[in-house]
Amino acid sequence: MNPTISSTHTCAPLIGDPDADPQCAGQQAPWSARFYLLQECLRSALASIRAHGMRSFLTMLGIIIGVASVVTVISLVQGLSKSISQQFQGLGGNVLTLRADTSIEDALRGKVNRLKLSDLEQLRHRIDGIQDITPTVVAGGRIGADIRNGSHVAYGTMYGTTALYQDVQALYPLHGRFLTESDDLTRRRVVVLGEKLRRDLKLPPNPVGMHIQIAGEWFKVLGVMEPRGEMFGISQDAYLLMPFQTALAVNGVVEEPDLSISFTVSDPDQATAVQARVVELMRLAHGLKPGQANDFVLESADSLRKSFSEISTTITIVVGAVVGISLIVGGVGIMNIMLVSVTERTREIGIAKALGAPRAFILLQFLIEAMLLAVIGGLIGLLIGTGLAHVIAALIPNFPPPTVPWWASLGACGFSGMIGVVFGILPASNAANLTPIDALRHE
């Protein structure tokens, strides 16, 4: 006959642990008892961490360094990614740019592929569904020419374009006006300046009506464009725009123009179909045979933004994973210190078990202590990493401010806690498996 449990018998806080009380095996503890057990384990773990402050800090040091490194790298990469994405914000997926592309094989043979003015006419008259088409040609070569304002000399890229450029590129004058169709037809010697070029020439904020010299010839300033800032530390405002026909005259008939063509798609839903038609037309116009690589590239601002986003995501994952290895090292450090702590507190464990502490209490106490060490280290590393990212960004000229995404903060702390649990299981199991008699005999 099975013995009955006396009505006056009191079970241990965590009923169901045979080590605590055989008579209570199989019974479930009330929620209040379980909460009390968790509260006591947490209080005991915090007391142990406070009692050995320096050792606890050194234990957390690996986690702190690991989390700080991960957060710093991710913050800088995400900040750079956000800054570059904003550069494309004004352009939608319906803006396409056609430019020439020279393969490495062609370049080694001395061949440089160029778009022709006939390509521009082909697009204008043979492709439906596009509007606001504008050519852009580099004037004076990629190196550019001396641009002078009295004794002040500046260097910048000179482009020739049409009045539709501002609508296609969503870039408008800050002062003055933009180029007009009349300027292009009459080949007027007028320019619109980028903000950096204006500063380099020591021109006033609103230099409309003033004249500058380009390759020894005078040009009138019509306006100054809105500033676009810098990308990868390179200014996007060191340029000037002149009428397309004027730029062709500046280049002369000897040099083949470095031409690109930008246009917008009337219906964004048809952008893919329009791209396919443009590619087919250009291959036919350039006499390319089936299987032969294109000598041109058709890009959209949206595709460029997506491509960079994919690259930045890959960099974040790879660099974060490499730097995150240090978290594993930090976890090993926690395990080693916790094993030492179990050895030091063997008699304490024996006394607790002799007084009726269940195995689960000892296991949970050491497991919570390891997890707390890791989580606290993770939080400290998160703060240090955020501050370090801002310091590094401030030290690098024109670097965008870092961005700490919420998933990085949550992931760093969560992964730290998981590291604490994983590497705290062995010390906690060793402590929980000690028998009271052996633990009390320990010297």
Side-chain angles (χ1 to χ4, degrees):
M1 181 177 178
N2 294 333
T4 58
I5 299 177
S6 170
S7 60
T8 60
H9 182 78
T10 303
C11 292
L14 188 65
I15 310 300
D17 189 341
D19 292 345
D21 194 334
Q23 293 187 9
C24 298
Q27 293 190 23
Q28 295 295 323
W31 285 107
S32 58
R34 295 181 183 180
F35 179 75
Y36 174 77
L37 171 64
L38 185 62
Q39 184 181 14
E40 281 299 303
C41 290
L42 184 60
R43 182 199 60 79
S44 177
L46 288 173
S48 177
I49 292 174
R50 285 196 301 266
H52 306 88
M54 181 56 69
R55 188 174 71 181
S56 298
F57 174 75
L58 294 176
T59 304
M60 294 184 291
L61 195 56
I63 297 292
I64 292 173
I65 294 174
V67 171
S69 302
V70 171
V71 171
T72 300
V73 171
I74 291 178
S75 300
L76 292 173
V77 173
Q78 289 297 310
L80 182 61
S81 176
K82 182 179 178 181
S83 174
I84 293 178
S85 296
Q86 289 174 348
Q87 304 295 326
F88 299 102
Q89 215 166 33
L91 300 177
N94 64 330
V95 178
L96 303 175
T97 299
L98 180 68
R99 61 177 178 82
D101 181 50
T102 302
S103 64
I104 297 177
E105 293 79 6
D106 287 343
L108 291 176
R109 292 198 299 264
K111 178 184 177 183
V112 179
N113 296 322
R114 302 283 196 196
L115 294 181
K116 302 178 178 62
L117 294 177
S118 59
D119 294 331
L120 175 63
E121 296 305 317
Q122 293 265 13
L123 289 175
R124 276 178 172 163
H125 301 295
R126 299 189 60 183
I127 298 293
D128 295 329
I130 65 175
Q131 60 183 14
D132 295 339
I133 184 168
T134 180
T136 302
V137 63
V138 177
R142 284 290 176 184
I143 300 177
D146 288 352
I147 306 170
R148 295 178 177 272
N149 172 38
S151 61
H152 304 293
V153 181
Y155 296 90
T157 307
M158 302 187 299
Y159 297 105
T161 189
T162 65
L164 293 175
Y165 179 89
Q166 60 179 347
D167 297 321
V168 174
Q169 301 295 336
L171 187 63
Y172 302 96
L174 181 65
H175 299 290
R177 68 169 178 87
F178 197 69
L179 306 172
T180 64
E181 185 177 355
S182 174
D183 296 330
D184 190 37
L185 292 174
T186 57
R187 299 186 180 183
R188 291 187 65 197
R189 295 188 176 275
V190 292
V191 294
V192 179
L193 303 178
E195 176 61 25
K196 184 178 186 302
L197 196 59
R198 179 200 65 79
R199 294 197 305 265
D200 292 344
L201 290 172
K202 308 302 180 186
L203 291 169
N206 187 359
V208 175
M210 298 183 66
H211 288 77
I212 60 175
Q213 278 185 301
I214 300 175
E217 298 193 29
W218 292 96
F219 285 74
K220 183 179 179 180
V221 178
L222 295 180
V224 178
M225 300 301 290
E226 295 174 335
R228 293 186 294 181
E230 299 186 352
M231 184 182 294
F232 299 111
I234 301 175
S235 176
Q236 300 181 82
D237 300 310
Y239 68 95
L240 65 78
L241 303 172
M242 64 177 65
F244 182 71
Q245 295 297 333
T246 304
L248 294 180
V250 169
N251 284 340
V253 295
V254 178
E255 184 176 350
E256 190 176 12
D258 186 1
L259 180 68
S260 65
I261 305 169
S262 298
F263 54 89
T264 57
V265 180
S266 305
D267 184 1
D269 295 333
Q270 297 297 319
T272 303
V274 171
Q275 288 186 53
R277 292 200 297 270
V278 170
V279 170
E280 183 180 358
L281 177 64
M282 287 298 102
R283 288 186 60 86
L284 182 63
H286 293 186
L288 298 177
K289 299 177 181 178
Q292 191 174 354
N294 293 336
D295 59 358
F296 59 89
V297 175
L298 184 61
E299 299 172 328
S300 70
D302 197 45
S303 64
L304 290 174
R305 181 169 58 245
K306 289 179 180 177
S307 297
F308 182 81
S309 178
E310 292 174 358
I311 293 172
S312 65
T313 300
T314 303
I315 293 175
T316 300
I317 293 174
V318 172
V319 176
V322 171
V323 178
I325 295 175
S326 57
L327 290 176
I328 307 297
V329 178
V332 173
I334 289 178
M335 183 174 65
N336 290 337
I337 297 300
M338 291 301 298
L339 287 171
V340 172
S341 179
V342 170
T343 303
E344 290 179 347
R345 295 157 62 183
T346 301
R347 285 183 62 83
E348 174 189 332
I349 296 170
I351 294 173
K353 283 205 163 192
L355 293 175
R359 178 179 180 277
F361 178 86
I362 304 298
L363 181 69
L364 198 58
Q365 177 185 343
F366 280 88
L367 204 57
I368 288 178
E369 184 174 337
M371 186 177 67
L372 280 177
L373 285 170
V375 171
I376 293 173
L379 291 173
I380 295 174
L382 177 61
L383 295 176
I384 293 177
T386 303
L388 191 60
H390 282 85
V391 170
I392 293 175
L395 292 176
I396 300 176
N398 302 312
F399 197 87
T403 300
V404 184
W406 65 268
W407 51 264
S409 304
L410 189 62
C413 295
F415 190 68
S416 298
M418 186 182 70
I419 289 290
V421 171
V422 171
F423 286 93
I425 288 177
L426 179 61
S429 298
N430 290 349
N433 292 332
L434 288 173
T435 59
I437 295 178
D438 292 338
L440 290 171
R441 287 176 177 173
H442 182 78
E443 296 295 335

PDB file of all heavy atoms in Angstrom, residues 336-359:
ATOM      1  N   ASN A 336      34.514  29.538 -17.381  1.00  0.00           N
ATOM      2  CA  ASN A 336      35.680  29.292 -16.527  1.00  0.00           C
ATOM      3  C   ASN A 336      35.501  29.907 -15.148  1.00  0.00           C
ATOM      4  O   ASN A 336      35.766  29.265 -14.119  1.00  0.00           O
ATOM      5  CB  ASN A 336      36.946  29.859 -17.189  1.00  0.00           C
ATOM      6  CG  ASN A 336      37.360  29.064 -18.412  1.00  0.00           C
ATOM      7  OD1 ASN A 336      37.003  27.894 -18.542  1.00  0.00           O
ATOM      8  ND2 ASN A 336      38.100  29.694 -19.315  1.00  0.00           N
ATOM      9  N   ILE A 337      35.057  31.170 -15.104  1.00  0.00           N
ATOM     10  CA  ILE A 337      34.885  31.840 -13.812  1.00  0.00           C
ATOM     11  C   ILE A 337      33.766  31.188 -13.010  1.00  0.00           C
ATOM     12  O   ILE A 337      33.871  31.050 -11.778  1.00  0.00           O
ATOM     13  CB  ILE A 337      34.598  33.341 -14.023  1.00  0.00           C
ATOM     14  CG1 ILE A 337      35.786  34.022 -14.699  1.00  0.00           C
ATOM     15  CG2 ILE A 337      34.291  34.018 -12.699  1.00  0.00           C
ATOM     16  CD1 ILE A 337      37.083  33.937 -13.911  1.00  0.00           C
ATOM     17  N   MET A 338      32.704  30.758 -13.674  1.00  0.00           N
ATOM     18  CA  MET A 338      31.605  30.114 -12.960  1.00  0.00           C
ATOM     19  C   MET A 338      32.037  28.766 -12.386  1.00  0.00           C
ATOM     20  O   MET A 338      31.604  28.366 -11.297  1.00  0.00           O
ATOM     21  CB  MET A 338      30.407  29.934 -13.886  1.00  0.00           C
ATOM     22  CG  MET A 338      29.724  31.235 -14.286  1.00  0.00           C
ATOM     23  SD  MET A 338      29.121  32.191 -12.880  1.00  0.00           S
ATOM     24  CE  MET A 338      27.934  31.060 -12.191  1.00  0.00           C
ATOM     25  N   LEU A 339      32.901  28.033 -13.105  1.00  0.00           N
ATOM     26  CA  LEU A 339      33.436  26.776 -12.560  1.00  0.00           C
ATOM     27  C   LEU A 339      34.268  27.038 -11.315  1.00  0.00           C
ATOM     28  O   LEU A 339      34.195  26.285 -10.327  1.00  0.00           O
ATOM     29  CB  LEU A 339      34.274  26.067 -13.630  1.00  0.00           C
ATOM     30  CG  LEU A 339      33.495  25.411 -14.777  1.00  0.00           C
ATOM     31  CD1 LEU A 339      34.450  24.935 -15.866  1.00  0.00           C
ATOM     32  CD2 LEU A 339      32.643  24.257 -14.269  1.00  0.00           C
ATOM     33  N   VAL A 340      35.055  28.112 -11.347  1.00  0.00           N
ATOM     34  CA  VAL A 340      35.831  28.497 -10.162  1.00  0.00           C
ATOM     35  C   VAL A 340      34.895  28.880  -9.027  1.00  0.00           C
ATOM     36  O   VAL A 340      35.114  28.527  -7.863  1.00  0.00           O
ATOM     37  CB  VAL A 340      36.796  29.658 -10.505  1.00  0.00           C
ATOM     38  CG1 VAL A 340      37.461  30.188  -9.240  1.00  0.00           C
ATOM     39  CG2 VAL A 340      37.827  29.216 -11.518  1.00  0.00           C
ATOM     40  N   SER A 341      33.829  29.592  -9.359  1.00  0.00           N
ATOM     41  CA  SER A 341      32.864  30.017  -8.348  1.00  0.00           C
ATOM     42  C   SER A 341      32.187  28.820  -7.694  1.00  0.00           C
ATOM     43  O   SER A 341      31.956  28.808  -6.477  1.00  0.00           O
ATOM     44  CB  SER A 341      31.812  30.935  -8.989  1.00  0.00           C
ATOM     45  OG  SER A 341      30.850  31.332  -8.042  1.00  0.00           O
ATOM     46  N   VAL A 342      31.865  27.788  -8.487  1.00  0.00           N
ATOM     47  CA  VAL A 342      31.258  26.575  -7.922  1.00  0.00           C
ATOM     48  C   VAL A 342      32.208  25.921  -6.932  1.00  0.00           C
ATOM     49  O   VAL A 342      31.809  25.488  -5.839  1.00  0.00           O
ATOM     50  CB  VAL A 342      30.879  25.591  -9.049  1.00  0.00           C
ATOM     51  CG1 VAL A 342      30.486  24.235  -8.476  1.00  0.00           C
ATOM     52  CG2 VAL A 342      29.733  26.154  -9.876  1.00  0.00           C
ATOM     53  N   THR A 343      33.491  25.861  -7.293  1.00  0.00           N
ATOM     54  CA  THR A 343      34.486  25.259  -6.400  1.00  0.00           C
ATOM     55  C   THR A 343      34.597  26.055  -5.101  1.00  0.00           C
ATOM     56  O   THR A 343      34.670  25.477  -4.006  1.00  0.00           O
ATOM     57  CB  THR A 343      35.851  25.199  -7.102  1.00  0.00           C
ATOM     58  OG1 THR A 343      35.722  24.468  -8.326  1.00  0.00           O
ATOM     59  CG2 THR A 343      36.883  24.520  -6.225  1.00  0.00           C
ATOM     60  N   GLU A 344      34.620  27.391  -5.212  1.00  0.00           N
ATOM     61  CA  GLU A 344      34.745  28.226  -4.019  1.00  0.00           C
ATOM     62  C   GLU A 344      33.524  28.112  -3.102  1.00  0.00           C
ATOM     63  O   GLU A 344      33.639  28.250  -1.887  1.00  0.00           O
ATOM     64  CB  GLU A 344      34.927  29.686  -4.430  1.00  0.00           C
ATOM     65  CG  GLU A 344      36.272  29.997  -5.078  1.00  0.00           C
ATOM     66  CD  GLU A 344      36.382  31.453  -5.476  1.00  0.00           C
ATOM     67  OE1 GLU A 344      35.334  32.140  -5.469  1.00  0.00           O
ATOM     68  OE2 GLU A 344      37.492  31.907  -5.803  1.00  0.00           O
ATOM     69  N   ARG A 345      32.372  27.879  -3.691  1.00  0.00           N
ATOM     70  CA  ARG A 345      31.127  27.911  -2.913  1.00  0.00           C
ATOM     71  C   ARG A 345      30.564  26.511  -2.662  1.00  0.00           C
ATOM     72  O   ARG A 345      29.373  26.329  -2.444  1.00  0.00           O
ATOM     73  CB  ARG A 345      30.092  28.760  -3.660  1.00  0.00           C
ATOM     74  CG  ARG A 345      30.506  30.210  -3.749  1.00  0.00           C
ATOM     75  CD  ARG A 345      29.847  30.957  -4.895  1.00  0.00           C
ATOM     76  NE  ARG A 345      28.406  31.015  -4.787  1.00  0.00           N
ATOM     77  CZ  ARG A 345      27.616  31.575  -5.715  1.00  0.00           C
ATOM     78  NH1 ARG A 345      28.176  32.110  -6.795  1.00  0.00           N
ATOM     79  NH2 ARG A 345      26.316  31.593  -5.561  1.00  0.00           N
ATOM     80  N   THR A 346      31.459  25.508  -2.688  1.00  0.00           N
ATOM     81  CA  THR A 346      30.996  24.131  -2.493  1.00  0.00           C
ATOM     82  C   THR A 346      30.349  23.936  -1.130  1.00  0.00           C
ATOM     83  O   THR A 346      29.283  23.326  -1.010  1.00  0.00           O
ATOM     84  CB  THR A 346      32.177  23.157  -2.665  1.00  0.00           C
ATOM     85  OG1 THR A 346      32.728  23.307  -3.979  1.00  0.00           O
ATOM     86  CG2 THR A 346      31.714  21.717  -2.487  1.00  0.00           C
ATOM     87  N   ARG A 347      30.976  24.437  -0.072  1.00  0.00           N
ATOM     88  CA  ARG A 347      30.394  24.293   1.274  1.00  0.00           C
ATOM     89  C   ARG A 347      29.061  25.042   1.370  1.00  0.00           C
ATOM     90  O   ARG A 347      28.113  24.573   2.003  1.00  0.00           O
ATOM     91  CB  ARG A 347      31.366  24.815   2.340  1.00  0.00           C
ATOM     92  CG  ARG A 347      32.540  23.880   2.604  1.00  0.00           C
ATOM     93  CD  ARG A 347      33.425  24.403   3.716  1.00  0.00           C
ATOM     94  NE  ARG A 347      32.695  24.500   4.970  1.00  0.00           N
ATOM     95  CZ  ARG A 347      32.497  23.470   5.816  1.00  0.00           C
ATOM     96  NH1 ARG A 347      32.995  22.255   5.523  1.00  0.00           N
ATOM     97  NH2 ARG A 347      31.842  23.630   6.946  1.00  0.00           N
ATOM     98  N   GLU A 348      28.980  26.213   0.726  1.00  0.00           N
ATOM     99  CA  GLU A 348      27.724  26.964   0.728  1.00  0.00           C
ATOM    100  C   GLU A 348      26.614  26.152   0.062  1.00  0.00           C
ATOM    101  O   GLU A 348      25.467  26.127   0.538  1.00  0.00           O
ATOM    102  CB  GLU A 348      27.932  28.281  -0.028  1.00  0.00           C
ATOM    103  CG  GLU A 348      26.659  29.098  -0.222  1.00  0.00           C
ATOM    104  CD  GLU A 348      26.873  30.272  -1.164  1.00  0.00           C
ATOM    105  OE1 GLU A 348      28.003  30.779  -1.253  1.00  0.00           O
ATOM    106  OE2 GLU A 348      25.886  30.668  -1.824  1.00  0.00           O
ATOM    107  N   ILE A 349      26.964  25.474  -1.044  1.00  0.00           N
ATOM    108  CA  ILE A 349      25.985  24.633  -1.738  1.00  0.00           C
ATOM    109  C   ILE A 349      25.563  23.469  -0.853  1.00  0.00           C
ATOM    110  O   ILE A 349      24.381  23.098  -0.781  1.00  0.00           O
ATOM    111  CB  ILE A 349      26.571  24.126  -3.064  1.00  0.00           C
ATOM    112  CG1 ILE A 349      26.841  25.304  -4.008  1.00  0.00           C
ATOM    113  CG2 ILE A 349      25.637  23.122  -3.746  1.00  0.00           C
ATOM    114  CD1 ILE A 349      27.647  24.936  -5.238  1.00  0.00           C
ATOM    115  N   GLY A 350      26.554  22.882  -0.144  1.00  0.00           N
ATOM    116  CA  GLY A 350      26.245  21.764   0.742  1.00  0.00           C
ATOM    117  C   GLY A 350      25.299  22.169   1.867  1.00  0.00           C
ATOM    118  O   GLY A 350      24.358  21.427   2.201  1.00  0.00           O
ATOM    119  N   ILE A 351      25.526  23.343   2.426  1.00  0.00           N
ATOM    120  CA  ILE A 351      24.649  23.826   3.505  1.00  0.00           C
ATOM    121  C   ILE A 351      23.238  24.063   2.979  1.00  0.00           C
ATOM    122  O   ILE A 351      22.246  23.698   3.607  1.00  0.00           O
ATOM    123  CB  ILE A 351      25.226  25.114   4.117  1.00  0.00           C
ATOM    124  CG1 ILE A 351      26.550  24.826   4.831  1.00  0.00           C
ATOM    125  CG2 ILE A 351      24.227  25.747   5.078  1.00  0.00           C
ATOM    126  CD1 ILE A 351      27.279  26.050   5.310  1.00  0.00           C
ATOM    127  N   ALA A 352      23.157  24.682   1.778  1.00  0.00           N
ATOM    128  CA  ALA A 352      21.843  24.947   1.194  1.00  0.00           C
ATOM    129  C   ALA A 352      21.089  23.649   0.930  1.00  0.00           C
ATOM    130  O   ALA A 352      19.888  23.538   1.206  1.00  0.00           O
ATOM    131  CB  ALA A 352      22.007  25.736  -0.094  1.00  0.00           C
ATOM    132  N   LYS A 353      21.785  22.617   0.460  1.00  0.00           N
ATOM    133  CA  LYS A 353      21.120  21.345   0.185  1.00  0.00           C
ATOM    134  C   LYS A 353      20.726  20.640   1.476  1.00  0.00           C
ATOM    135  O   LYS A 353      19.670  19.994   1.549  1.00  0.00           O
ATOM    136  CB  LYS A 353      22.049  20.446  -0.656  1.00  0.00           C
ATOM    137  CG  LYS A 353      22.112  20.832  -2.114  1.00  0.00           C
ATOM    138  CD  LYS A 353      22.491  19.633  -2.966  1.00  0.00           C
ATOM    139  CE  LYS A 353      22.160  19.883  -4.423  1.00  0.00           C
ATOM    140  NZ  LYS A 353      22.248  18.654  -5.224  1.00  0.00           N
ATOM    141  N   ALA A 354      21.580  20.772   2.480  1.00  0.00           N
ATOM    142  CA  ALA A 354      21.262  20.143   3.769  1.00  0.00           C
ATOM    143  C   ALA A 354      20.029  20.768   4.395  1.00  0.00           C
ATOM    144  O   ALA A 354      19.280  20.097   5.125  1.00  0.00           O
ATOM    145  CB  ALA A 354      22.460  20.263   4.705  1.00  0.00           C
ATOM    146  N   LEU A 355      19.811  22.047   4.118  1.00  0.00           N
ATOM    147  CA  LEU A 355      18.640  22.734   4.653  1.00  0.00           C
ATOM    148  C   LEU A 355      17.392  22.510   3.805  1.00  0.00           C
ATOM    149  O   LEU A 355      16.335  23.084   4.102  1.00  0.00           O
ATOM    150  CB  LEU A 355      18.924  24.230   4.769  1.00  0.00           C
ATOM    151  CG  LEU A 355      19.980  24.628   5.811  1.00  0.00           C
ATOM    152  CD1 LEU A 355      20.258  26.118   5.757  1.00  0.00           C
ATOM    153  CD2 LEU A 355      19.524  24.226   7.218  1.00  0.00           C
ATOM    154  N   GLY A 356      17.529  21.739   2.719  1.00  0.00           N
ATOM    155  CA  GLY A 356      16.352  21.393   1.927  1.00  0.00           C
ATOM    156  C   GLY A 356      16.239  22.082   0.585  1.00  0.00           C
ATOM    157  O   GLY A 356      15.196  21.972  -0.068  1.00  0.00           O
ATOM    158  N   ALA A 357      17.270  22.787   0.168  1.00  0.00           N
ATOM    159  CA  ALA A 357      17.198  23.451  -1.136  1.00  0.00           C
ATOM    160  C   ALA A 357      17.140  22.404  -2.243  1.00  0.00           C
ATOM    161  O   ALA A 357      17.984  21.500  -2.278  1.00  0.00           O
ATOM    162  CB  ALA A 357      18.406  24.350  -1.331  1.00  0.00           C
ATOM    163  N   PRO A 358      16.172  22.460  -3.124  1.00  0.00           N
ATOM    164  CA  PRO A 358      16.068  21.465  -4.193  1.00  0.00           C
ATOM    165  C   PRO A 358      17.175  21.632  -5.232  1.00  0.00           C
ATOM    166  O   PRO A 358      17.801  22.697  -5.322  1.00  0.00           O
ATOM    167  CB  PRO A 358      14.696  21.743  -4.806  1.00  0.00           C
ATOM    168  CG  PRO A 358      14.429  23.176  -4.504  1.00  0.00           C
ATOM    169  CD  PRO A 358      15.075  23.454  -3.181  1.00  0.00           C
ATOM    170  N   ARG A 359      17.382  20.599  -6.033  1.00  0.00           N
ATOM    171  CA  ARG A 359      18.405  20.627  -7.071  1.00  0.00           C
ATOM    172  C   ARG A 359      18.123  21.755  -8.067  1.00  0.00           C
ATOM    173  O   ARG A 359      19.037  22.440  -8.528  1.00  0.00           O
ATOM    174  CB  ARG A 359      18.420  19.286  -7.799  1.00  0.00           C
ATOM    175  CG  ARG A 359      19.429  19.202  -8.949  1.00  0.00           C
ATOM    176  CD  ARG A 359      19.380  17.824  -9.598  1.00  0.00           C
ATOM    177  NE  ARG A 359      20.340  17.756 -10.695  1.00  0.00           N
ATOM    178  CZ  ARG A 359      20.118  18.186 -11.919  1.00  0.00           C
ATOM    179  NH1 ARG A 359      18.950  18.752 -12.206  1.00  0.00           N
ATOM    180  NH2 ARG A 359      21.041  18.073 -12.844  1.00  0.00           N
TER     181      ARG A 359
END
